[in-house]
Amino acid sequence: MEQQTVNMLSTYMPNIGHYRTQFSSLNSLLGKTTLTGKISSLDIAENLFEFMEATQQKFNNLQDRLIDTLIEQNFYNRYKEASVSAAIIANLLVHTIDGCSLDAIALAKGSRLVRFFSDGDLKNEEKIQILKKHLQHYQNIYTIYKNIILVNTQGEIILSLEKDISGTTKNSHILEAIKNNEKIEALSPLDFYGGKRELISIVPIMNESLHQCAGALITIFDFYQEIDQICQYFTYHLPQTILLVVDGKNNIIYSDNEHRFPIGENVHFTTKENCNFIEVGKRQAFAACCESVKNIKSGSKSIAVDWKFYRIVPLQVAFNPRGAENDFKIPEDFLNNSSLRTENLDAVILEAENINEDLGDVVINGEIIASKSRSYALNPILDSIRLLSDQINFLCIQSIENLQRSIFNSLFSIIDGYARSSIQLLDRYFYEKSNNCRWISHSSIFRKYLSAHMNSQLESSDTRRIIAKLEDINKTYTSYADIVLFNTNGAVLANSHLIKGTHHTVSSESIVALKGMANSNRYYLSNFEVPQFSGSTDASYTFMAPICDELGHFIGGVAFVIKVEEFKEILVSFLQKESFLLGENNEIFTFFIDQDKNIIATTKDDVNLDSFKLENKFDPRNPKSQKQIMTLDNGATYLVSIEPSVGYREFKAGSTHRHFISCFICIKIRDEDL
């Protein structure tokens, strides 16, 4: 780090000023003691005090290096902690936006919408009202859409679930999507909302008979309410911080402090040492950046690809000692016996130890010289050197331990955030999958097929058409290993992955549960197990929903088998090693377990749950949030944060299932041989 940057940062670190003053005082005393020794000892110990003078010069250089290292490490500690905070919000928000994008594509492919636009009579009020009721049901199931709108090729609003929305839109994104027959997402001012900015997904819908675009579906996602809720849930632990989201042109699209940073304003940052700085009022602040998540699954022109998320932290706040406390008490032996130290800090510690040894050698050799020459005038000088050596050693240890304590506190904060956000994302993921399952179960094409099956009126072409529909849904929602349609007895009639399984049967337990859910929006979630009725051979979770005829009688159901790899993707999406203050050899891994201690997903293939010795520490059937330091069977010690799913939306008591999933985040802080 450049000295100018180091000097600027040091003015905001009270502890550094304290250490600098003490080191300077000790250096001055060491210099005076060296000079006194040279004068008093005459030529008896001339070589000894020449060595002492060289040692004093080493200490003079060391104190500058140590102070600079403390400043750099403290800064990067806070900066990366803030960056992780921004990354958590980015991951959750972009995941939700991506899910909305997939939902819009699937909804636009629905037979009712396609049939409505293919019939060509877009002004038929009776058809519009039937379709409106259909879309209102969709909105009630998915809950996150502010409005759903249909427009024709001229942008005229044909249908809106929200009242008083009519006319012809001139929005360029909507007209471009229709013109080019391509899906577009945009955070755009909408003329039919009085110019208010909204996040919209625009999906063109084809007239199948004419093979041309006949209009578009527009879903409106309440972007600002969603990110507000995420920010409130993941409140940053330091006060006076600001979260910004900017687009590819550095225009602010979200700010949780519009007084300082209004939405729409262009923002500029100063970059030093690959870190961003900005003035907030008259105060200097850093702006830790997280670029948006790139693994967009919808395959469309995602608006979030070029976004950047910034956590702005005033320097005065970042390095206020009162804001650095953590409730968790760190054992003292971990502060000076840990593998978390960086190479720079290790080098400084080694140099400090060498200087302390050199001062010890001066005292020992001085005592020998004084004894042999009977020059007892050396003794008071040697006593001063011994005292200074102890004080220097104590100050070095104290400053380094405080830095280590700061690193531990930041890591506790980071892994706690990662554990909570992993469960939060898992909960959102389950919610999305349950919505897909419940919505598809209301599809008229499946209801008609199962009714025909019950009445023995099926033809082979009907089954081929159903399989094609299941395959089409699976192509849109690629996170499913299989989508299965079955009758009242659980016999599989069709599935999206026609490898095997069409002659298998859904369990009687599932059928009994589904029969009890007829005429509701409830769903059934299996245990973590291999679905015997499907072509999938991996253990996973399966979502099921009942299908009823027009009289409300149970006639079968649909099952969505989750790809087990999806759960590992959730873990990997958050767990970025570069976000931690770790060296190359530091191990970090995470995993999900269920209430039966099954490992659902892990980033460490050979993880052994027994090595954690969880008895009397953690009960997977009654899990609690906790942070612990654990020593595993291999002798290595880990910092562990555990977050259970208890209380989250899809895991609340009283629901149709009582599945508990817990996330473990583990960072090695000490090797077995330390």
Side-chain angles (χ1 to χ4, degrees):
M1 184 176 284
E2 292 182 0
Q3 196 60 45
Q4 183 180 4
T5 306
V6 170
N7 294 339
M8 182 271 291
L9 292 172
S10 69
T11 60
Y12 295 95
M13 300 182 185
N15 286 344
I16 296 300
H18 172 70
Y19 294 140
R20 194 191 299 275
T21 300
Q22 287 189 296
F23 275 120
S24 179
S25 176
L26 289 173
N27 188 45
S28 177
L29 287 172
L30 196 59
K32 290 177 181 178
T33 303
T34 303
L35 181 60
T36 302
K38 290 180 71 174
I39 294 172
S40 302
S41 65
L42 300 175
D43 49 350
I44 297 173
E46 182 178 355
N47 292 336
L48 182 66
F49 281 99
E50 284 179 358
F51 176 75
M52 175 73 177
E53 192 171 30
T55 301
Q56 189 262 332
Q57 185 58 46
K58 287 181 183 178
F59 176 67
N60 186 49
N61 295 332
L62 170 69
Q63 66 169 337
D64 291 335
R65 284 189 60 202
L66 179 56
I67 290 294
D68 288 354
T69 301
L70 292 175
I71 291 170
E72 288 182 25
Q73 292 297 313
N74 271 300
F75 170 72
Y76 287 130
N77 192 25
R78 284 295 189 214
Y79 191 90
K80 291 186 179 293
E81 186 181 352
S83 175
V84 168
S85 163
I88 286 172
I89 292 169
N91 269 281
L92 288 169
L93 182 67
V94 173
H95 171 86
T96 303
I97 291 173
D98 190 27
C100 290
S101 182
L102 292 173
D103 292 341
I105 294 171
L107 181 59
K109 289 181 176 180
S111 57
R112 296 196 190 195
L113 282 176
V114 171
R115 191 164 55 246
F116 174 76
F117 278 94
S118 295
D119 288 346
D121 188 5
L122 302 184
K123 297 290 187 179
N124 187 308
E125 189 61 29
E126 183 181 353
K127 291 181 179 179
I128 289 174
Q129 290 305 315
I130 293 173
L131 194 56
K132 189 172 186 178
K133 185 178 180 181
H134 173 71
L135 293 176
Q136 283 172 335
H137 187 203
Y138 180 90
Q139 187 183 38
N140 291 337
I141 286 179
Y142 281 82
T143 71
I144 60 175
Y145 295 105
K146 183 175 181 179
N147 196 8
I148 299 175
I149 293 173
L150 298 179
V151 298
N152 62 19
T153 52
Q154 285 74 47
E156 181 184 358
I157 295 173
I158 301 166
L159 182 155
S160 169
L161 297 187
E162 195 173 330
K163 293 180 179 179
D164 302 322
I165 303 295
S166 59
T168 300
T169 180
K170 301 297 182 184
N171 183 276
S172 59
H173 298 288
I174 296 174
L175 298 179
E176 180 187 351
I178 294 171
K179 178 183 177 181
N180 297 329
N181 193 28
E182 65 173 353
K183 180 185 177 298
I184 290 178
E185 285 178 324
L187 186 60
S188 173
L190 299 178
D191 45 15
F192 48 84
Y193 274 120
K196 185 179 178 182
R197 289 164 65 93
E198 299 285 0
L199 183 59
I200 55 176
S201 291
I202 312 147
V203 186
I205 301 177
M206 298 293 289
N207 182 317
E208 289 189 328
S209 58
L210 299 177
H211 302 289
Q212 63 184 30
C213 180
L217 165 75
I218 303 168
T219 58
I220 301 177
F221 168 62
D222 201 334
F223 168 79
Y224 293 104
Q225 178 178 304
E226 183 70 17
I227 192 171
D228 278 341
Q229 289 177 349
I230 295 173
C231 289
Q232 288 169 12
Y233 188 81
F234 290 97
T235 303
Y236 198 55
H237 68 96
L238 292 178
Q240 304 175 41
T241 67
I242 299 170
L243 183 84
L244 294 185
V245 184
V246 304
D247 62 18
K249 297 180 180 178
N250 266 17
N251 295 316
I252 298 172
I253 57 178
Y254 175 81
S255 167
D256 64 0
N257 187 337
E258 289 197 62
H259 173 70
R260 292 290 187 188
F261 296 95
I263 292 174
E265 186 178 274
N266 193 267
V267 64
H268 298 280
F269 301 97
T270 301
T271 303
K272 300 176 183 178
E273 314 291 336
N274 295 320
C275 298
N276 303 299
F277 295 86
I278 192 172
E279 282 195 1
V280 181
K282 295 183 179 180
R283 297 196 301 173
Q284 189 74 9
F286 67 71
C289 176
C290 166
E291 294 189 4
S292 177
V293 183
K294 302 297 183 184
N295 57 335
I296 305 297
K297 293 184 179 179
S298 57
S300 62
K301 191 185 292 184
S302 174
I303 188 176
V305 169
D306 296 322
W307 290 358
K308 291 182 180 179
F309 293 70
Y310 291 91
R311 172 68 69 184
I312 297 175
V313 183
L315 295 179
Q316 192 172 5
V317 172
F319 306 113
N320 186 339
R322 288 178 295 180
E325 295 300 320
N326 192 297
D327 292 337
F328 192 89
K329 299 303 178 185
I330 303 158
E332 291 297 322
D333 63 316
F334 281 93
L335 297 177
N336 52 28
N337 191 10
S338 164
S339 61
L340 292 178
R341 296 197 300 245
T342 61
E343 290 183 7
N344 286 345
L345 186 57
D346 272 337
V348 171
I349 291 171
L350 180 61
E351 190 171 341
E353 290 172 347
N354 289 338
I355 288 173
N356 195 52
E357 287 181 9
D358 289 347
L359 291 175
D361 290 343
V362 168
V363 172
I364 293 171
N365 288 311
E367 288 174 341
I368 294 172
I369 292 171
S371 176
K372 286 184 176 180
S373 63
R374 300 180 184 278
S375 178
Y376 300 110
L378 274 177
N379 288 338
I381 298 170
L382 296 175
D383 288 341
S384 295
I385 294 171
R386 186 183 293 107
L387 179 61
L388 284 171
S389 175
D390 290 342
Q391 290 175 332
I392 289 169
N393 187 52
F394 173 78
L395 188 57
C396 287
I397 290 173
Q398 183 189 55
S399 61
I400 290 166
E401 283 187 352
N402 282 338
L403 174 60
Q404 291 287 88
R405 189 173 285 107
S406 174
I407 292 174
F408 269 98
N409 285 335
S410 286
L411 287 177
F412 268 124
S413 174
I414 288 170
I415 65 173
D416 177 59
Y418 270 168
R420 289 194 301 123
S421 56
S422 294
I423 290 293
Q424 177 71 239
L425 183 54
L426 181 68
D427 182 57
R428 286 167 176 256
Y429 185 84
F430 271 41
Y431 182 65
E432 291 165 6
K433 301 311 166 191
S434 69
N435 288 342
N436 295 342
C437 183
R438 291 183 297 159
W439 174 248
I440 296 300
S441 72
H442 291 283
S443 174
S444 59
I445 187 173
F446 296 137
R447 185 177 68 246
K448 291 176 181 177
Y449 177 81
L450 288 174
S451 295
H453 169 74
M454 289 191 70
N455 297 320
S456 302
Q457 296 174 345
L458 281 181
E459 297 182 6
S460 57
S461 60
D462 295 328
T463 300
R464 288 196 297 270
R465 186 161 59 93
I466 288 299
I467 291 173
K469 183 64 177 178
L470 291 173
E471 289 174 343
D472 188 50
I473 295 171
N474 213 161
K475 284 177 183 176
T476 301
Y477 293 111
T478 58
S479 56
Y480 297 114
D482 203 359
I483 305 175
V484 178
L485 192 70
F486 52 89
N487 66 13
T488 53
N489 299 318
V492 173
L493 305 179
N495 58 351
S496 61
H497 284 68
L498 199 58
I499 303 170
K500 64 176 183 177
T502 49
H503 300 295
H504 290 180
T505 305
V506 173
S507 70
S508 57
E509 177 189 348
S510 304
I511 295 299
V512 170
L514 291 172
K515 284 181 178 179
M517 299 175 187
N519 298 313
S520 74
N521 281 327
R522 295 161 66 195
Y523 66 93
Y524 176 80
L525 179 63
S526 74
N527 290 321
F528 184 73
E529 60 191 14
V530 177
Q532 299 298 329
F533 57 87
S534 165
S536 177
T537 57
D538 295 319
S540 187
Y541 288 103
T542 300
F543 288 81
M544 301 184 193
I547 297 176
C548 300
D549 63 18
E550 293 180 349
L551 298 177
H553 300 138
F554 175 74
I555 56 174
V558 62
F560 287 71
V561 182
I562 307 296
K563 283 183 180 177
V564 71
E565 296 85 2
E566 292 286 304
F567 300 111
K568 183 173 181 179
E569 283 188 21
I570 291 174
L571 295 173
V572 171
S573 68
F574 284 102
L575 199 65
Q576 300 170 357
K577 184 172 179 178
E578 60 269 20
S579 295
F580 293 86
L581 297 173
L582 301 177
E584 287 299 319
N585 297 323
N586 285 111
E587 183 184 24
I588 175 170
F589 64 92
T590 179
F591 55 89
F592 286 133
I593 64 168
D594 69 3
Q595 70 276 2
D596 298 318
K597 293 187 179 181
N598 294 311
I599 295 177
I600 297 167
T602 177
T603 60
K604 178 181 170 67
D605 292 336
D606 60 346
V607 63
N608 180 3
L609 206 57
D610 291 336
S611 68
F612 283 80
K613 304 171 186 174
L614 294 177
E615 290 74 14
N616 302 320
K617 295 179 183 177
F618 177 78
D619 181 2
R621 290 188 173 274
N622 185 27
K624 308 290 183 185
S625 297
Q626 56 182 285
K627 294 186 285 288
Q628 289 193 26
I629 291 177
M630 294 183 179
T631 300
L632 306 192
D633 284 346
N634 62 5
T637 304
Y638 291 80
L639 197 61
V640 180
S641 180
I642 307 172
E643 179 68 12
S645 62
V646 178
Y648 284 78
R649 177 171 49 191
E650 293 303 298
F651 298 92
K652 288 181 179 176
S655 65
T656 55
H657 56 270
R658 289 297 302 272
H659 298 275
F660 294 139
I661 298 176
S662 298
C663 179
F664 282 62
I665 305 279
C666 310
I667 301 176
K668 184 191 287 185
I669 56 175
R670 190 159 68 181
D671 292 316
E672 56 274 17
D673 56 347
L674 284 179

